[in-house]
Amino acid sequence: QFAAWRFKRRVCLSHQRSLYYEVALSWSNAGEDFRLRPETYPAQNPDTGTELLAHQRLVELVLGHPVGLAEILPRLTSVQASHDGRMLVYPLSQDGSRDAPVERVVAILRHWRNRNQAPVVLGGNPADHLRLERYLKAGRAAGVTGLSVEMPAGINAFVEHVAQCGALLSADSAAGHIGGALAKPTVVLMGPRLYGYCQPWRKSSLQKAFLFETPDADIAAALPELGSK
């Protein structure tokens, strides 16, 4: 099937390609082929994830002129961000491999609760009910008050959920990227394996990414004030 395809120009936005995809690309013919290879992939940067820098580099190759970083940062224009005054916490990742540890999330919220009494909402999709219950029970057992769970159904409801919050604490998952794209106050928690890959990136000082080993109090201090105690 791929061998029958012909393109005048082909642009590959997948930079971390498996052998399967490399073979698929080799079977289709293109007059101009734009893709990054390991030797042209950008070096790790402490401020911007390398995948975004790779997008920037590839777009410059395609267009033939420099492209500013701000031009390729993710943004959502179809959703209007608001501020409902609540702290929204999305601690789960799709496959569980990047979940923010329960004890870390609870410890951070305890520190933050010392100066804020705003409601805290644990978010996820309806299938996450049992996984979120662990965070809810542990938080309440540790004395984190005003804690609840909300599980919007569907992508649109999920994006709106993030768009409406006062601030977001997220695992290294879709919620953190949506919060950043909407320029929300966003703190992302992540392990060292993927740090520098898709995170960190930011539109302003309102967005920060922290490794799990960062002290709880330091992460909590990065979360904004949403109300007075």
Side-chain angles (χ1 to χ4, degrees), residues 5-85:
W5 292 0
R6 298 290 184 271
F7 303 95
K8 181 178 180 180
R9 171 179 287 191
R10 177 174 57 202
V11 181
C12 181
L13 290 171
S14 176
H15 310 305
Q16 306 292 329
R17 297 182 297 275
S18 67
L19 181 59
Y20 172 86
Y21 288 110
E22 287 290 6
V23 172
L25 284 169
S26 74
W27 282 340
S28 60
N29 182 274
E32 290 184 286
D33 187 24
F34 296 94
R35 52 177 148 153
L36 296 188
R37 293 174 172 80
E39 63 270 19
T40 57
Y41 191 80
Q44 190 167 358
N45 182 295
D47 297 316
T48 306
T50 50
E51 280 291 273
L52 284 176
L53 295 176
H55 286 331
Q56 181 187 26
R57 182 170 294 182
L58 185 64
V59 171
E60 290 179 338
L61 288 173
V62 174
L63 298 180
H65 61 73
V67 174
L69 183 61
E71 296 181 75
I72 55 89
L73 288 180
R75 64 178 180 267
L76 288 173
T77 58
S78 60
V79 179
Q80 186 66 42
S82 57
H83 190 313
D84 63 11

Side-chain angles (χ1 to χ4, degrees), residues 49-215:
T50 50
E51 280 291 273
L52 284 176
L53 295 176
H55 286 331
Q56 181 187 26
R57 182 170 294 182
L58 185 64
V59 171
E60 290 179 338
L61 288 173
V62 174
L63 298 180
H65 61 73
V67 174
L69 183 61
E71 296 181 75
I72 55 89
L73 288 180
R75 64 178 180 267
L76 288 173
T77 58
S78 60
V79 179
Q80 186 66 42
S82 57
H83 190 313
D84 63 11
R86 304 189 300 173
M87 173 63 68
L88 185 58
V89 182
Y90 267 81
L92 304 176
S93 61
Q94 183 176 11
D95 60 3
S97 65
R98 289 169 287 152
D99 289 359
V102 174
E103 65 277 7
R104 296 305 311 282
V105 171
V106 170
I108 292 164
L109 291 177
R110 286 187 65 191
H111 280 284
W112 184 75
R113 182 56 89 212
N114 288 333
R115 71 178 200 274
N116 257 274
Q117 290 301 305
V120 177
V121 177
L122 294 165
N125 67 58
D128 293 330
H129 175 72
L130 293 178
R131 294 165 71 194
L132 288 173
E133 192 71 21
R134 295 170 53 222
Y135 292 85
L136 181 67
K137 290 180 177 178
R140 288 177 173 172
V144 180
T145 59
L147 194 60
S148 63
V149 173
E150 293 180 6
M151 294 171 288
I155 294 296
N156 291 339
F158 165 49
V159 174
E160 287 287 350
H161 202 219
V162 175
Q164 293 167 8
C165 73
L168 174 69
L169 174 64
S170 173
D172 178 26
S173 62
H177 291 289
I178 291 171
L182 290 169
K184 307 290 294 186
T186 300
V187 169
V188 175
L189 303 175
M190 60 188 307
R193 185 170 65 90
L194 294 177
Y195 190 84
Y197 172 56
C198 291
Q199 286 281 2
W201 67 272
R202 61 184 60 84
K203 289 189 169 183
S204 73
S205 59
L206 294 177
Q207 294 97 39
K208 295 181 173 66
F210 291 99
L211 289 168
F212 287 149
E213 58 259 32
T214 305

